């Protein structure tokens, strides 16, 4: 997970360098982030473990800022907590946001 988080952080910094957002866009992005968070929280805890929840949250993220927020929320997880499939899904989701 630390490698994925580092990769996401580097991509976030790179994307923020080239993107300028207005106040209206920031409010829309914040609202989308809240909706994505509510969807992840709505899933029953027994059915979805933390690694899968983190993976789904990253896939649902609409911006690199949201990816970074998810990464901070699940920073206690390590690479070993994720299956190779989950790691691939997260990397694909981050790549789409570039």
């Amino acid at each position: 997970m630390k490698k994925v988080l580092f990769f996401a952080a580097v991509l976030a910094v790179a994307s923020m360098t080239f993107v300028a957002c207005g106040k209206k866009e920031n409010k829309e992005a914040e609202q989308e982030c809240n909706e994505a968070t509510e969807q992840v929280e709505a899933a029953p805890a027994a059915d979805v473990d933390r690694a899968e929840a983190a993976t789904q949250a990253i896939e649902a993220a609409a911006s690199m800022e949201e990816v970074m927020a998810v990464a901070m929320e699940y920073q206690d997880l390590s690479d070993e907590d994720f299956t190779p499939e989950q790691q691939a899904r997260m990397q694909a989701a981050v790549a789409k946001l570039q």
Side-chain angles (χ1 to χ4, degrees):
M1 179 67 181
K2 291 179 184 176
K3 292 177 188 175
V4 172
L5 294 177
F6 177 75
F7 180 72
V10 169
L11 293 176
V13 171
S15 68
M16 286 188 277
T17 303
F18 299 104
V19 177
C21 297
K23 291 181 182 180
K24 181 179 178 182
E25 292 171 330
N26 287 338
K27 288 180 183 178
E28 291 173 359
E30 184 178 329
Q31 184 179 17
E32 290 174 5
C33 178
N34 291 338
E35 291 172 2
T37 304
E38 289 172 4
Q39 290 174 353
V40 171
E41 291 173 355
D47 295 336
V48 181
D49 62 65
R50 285 184 48 79
E52 182 61 26
T55 304
Q56 290 176 359
I58 289 176
E59 289 176 325
S63 69
M64 290 306 295
E65 290 82 11
E66 291 178 30
V67 171
M68 293 306 299
V70 171
M72 294 303 293
E73 181 178 347
Y74 292 98
Q75 68 183 353
D76 60 311
L77 298 175
S78 66
D79 287 338
E80 292 78 31
D81 294 326
F82 294 90
T83 65
E85 180 223 355
Q86 288 171 330
Q87 291 178 2
R89 287 170 42 204
M90 287 187 290
Q91 290 175 347
V94 169
K96 287 181 184 178
L97 295 175
Q98 288 184 329

